[in-house]
Structure formats: structure tokens, C-alpha cells
Amino acid sequence: MMPATPPAVRVVLAEDHDLVRAGIRALLTSIPGVQVLADVSDGKELLAVLESVQPDVAITDLAMPGMDGMTAIGLIRQRFPRMRVLVLSMQDSVETIKRAVACGAAGYLRKNAQAFELAAALHSLMANGSYFEGGIARRLLEPAEPGVRDLLTERQVEILTLLASGKASKEIAFELGLSSKTVDVHRSRIMERLGLNDVASLTLYAVRQGLVQV
């Protein structure tokens, strides 16, 4: 007797970059036994689709416009407790990973992982209920590093986000109703508290903390 064919893994994908989303969808459809029901560009669209199709696995990025992935994960856990959520993100700080798990993520995969790991993640989620690639699993065992809001004031977080978005001091000053000198003072203090020396390093830090999108 031939062994029974396992049921298809039904997935929905949320990713805000069109080309990236198309590439991930193509990879998913190439995996035997995986059926892509829909792909969307933000957390709000993801929740709307899940109401109608309810897949086995929701795959989501974290940094998305409108409703971000972290918020969506928490709402998915509330509304669809049996659905598994796989995070697919460039963010890999200990704090971010642990927060995603606390919100309800059952798996975590970095976007720079090998293609075969996506198939492994989906099959493991269905068989075992979870999947964390090796580097992510090790980070889960590490103590969480201080988050940006542990190190900076709300005003400093606001200025850091605008700096990392490519805005100059004069633009930030105008937007926040501050003087350029005040913005420069905040920037110096932000760099000092974070131990960073230039805007490029600040931008990379902001991306890792999920303040801006890549």
C-alpha cells in the first residue's frame, strides 16, 4: 500500500516590498505540498484575509506600514489561536525575537537564510508546532539586550527615527517644532548613549530595533 500523501500546508504571506513578496511567493509555490492562498502587504490586510481563508501558517514580516507584523501576530493569537505564525524578517536582535515569540510567533526565520530552510520551517511548524533556525534559537537563550526605549527618551527615539529616515536636522526641527541646535544636541546625546559615531550606524541600529523599514 502506498503511504498516504500528507495534506498540503496552506499559507498566507505578508510582506510590504512587492519584489520581495513576489520572490518569496515563487519560492513557496516551488515547495512540494505548499499551497499559497494569498499574499498581502501589511498586517491589516493580513488579518482581513485570515478571516476568510484561515490557513495553516501565516508568514509575516515585522516592519510593515500601517499595522506592523508584531501587532498582527498578537491579534492572530487572539483571533486564531490554532494558527501558526512564522516570522520572516531581517530583524534579529534578542529583544525583537523574544517579543515576537511573546506575541505568539511559533517560528522565526531570517530573510538571509538558505532557501531550503523555508521548507524546513513549514514542515516543522506542522509536525512539531515550532521552528527557529539555529542562529535564532541560540539568541533565544541569550539575555535580552536593552531596548531602544530603555536607553533613550521618547523625544530621542522620535529624533532617531527621523534621522534614520534620511531627514536633516533642519527638517526634523521644523517637523517637531524645535530649533536645529536642539536637534543637534539630541543627536549628540543619542550617539553618546548608544556608543555610535555616525548617522549610518544610527540608521543600522534603528533598522535592527524596528524603528524604520529597509
Side-chain angles (χ1 to χ4, degrees), residues 33-172:
V34 172
Q35 181 184 4
V36 182
L37 302 180
D39 60 82
V40 298
S41 61
D42 63 38
K44 186 176 181 179
E45 290 181 358
L46 174 61
L47 286 169
V49 167
L50 296 183
E51 290 285 354
S52 58
V53 300
Q54 297 193 21
D56 302 302
V57 180
I59 303 174
T60 184
D61 192 4
L62 293 179
M64 296 185 291
M67 182 187 294
D68 63 23
M70 204 74 78
T71 303
I73 293 169
L75 291 172
I76 290 170
R77 180 169 66 174
Q78 292 175 19
R79 299 179 188 179
F80 314 103
R82 296 174 63 86
M83 191 178 298
R84 298 166 177 86
V85 177
L86 172 65
V87 173
L88 187 59
S89 175
M90 286 302 296
Q91 298 181 38
D92 61 358
S93 70
V94 175
E95 180 193 32
T96 298
I97 297 165
K98 289 189 174 183
R99 186 179 166 209
V101 173
C103 285
Y108 204 110
L109 191 65
R110 288 175 289 194
K111 287 182 179 177
N112 61 359
Q114 296 294 316
F116 73 86
E117 285 212 68
L118 185 54
L122 291 173
H123 292 308
S124 180
L125 281 169
M126 296 306 296
N128 307 313
S130 65
Y131 181 85
F132 297 93
E133 63 167 292
I136 296 297
R138 287 190 292 273
R139 292 201 170 197
L140 281 171
L141 299 176
E142 299 175 9
E145 58 194 25
V148 62
R149 288 177 174 79
D150 297 321
L151 300 172
L152 304 178
T153 66
E154 284 302 316
R155 174 64 84 187
Q156 289 170 340
V157 171
E158 195 172 18
I159 290 173
L160 170 60
T161 302
L162 293 171
L163 283 169
S165 299
K167 295 192 175 181
S169 294
K170 289 184 178 180
E171 294 177 285
I172 296 171

Side-chain angles (χ1 to χ4, degrees), residues 180-211:
S180 294
K181 183 177 180 181
T182 299
V183 172
D184 289 338
V185 169
H186 276 300
R187 181 174 60 183
S188 296
R189 289 177 178 170
I190 291 168
M191 289 180 171
E192 181 181 353
R193 291 190 182 185
L194 298 179
L196 302 173
N197 300 315
D198 52 49
V199 174
S201 298
L202 286 177
T203 301
L204 180 59
Y205 177 83
V207 170
R208 289 176 61 87
Q209 291 292 323
L211 297 179

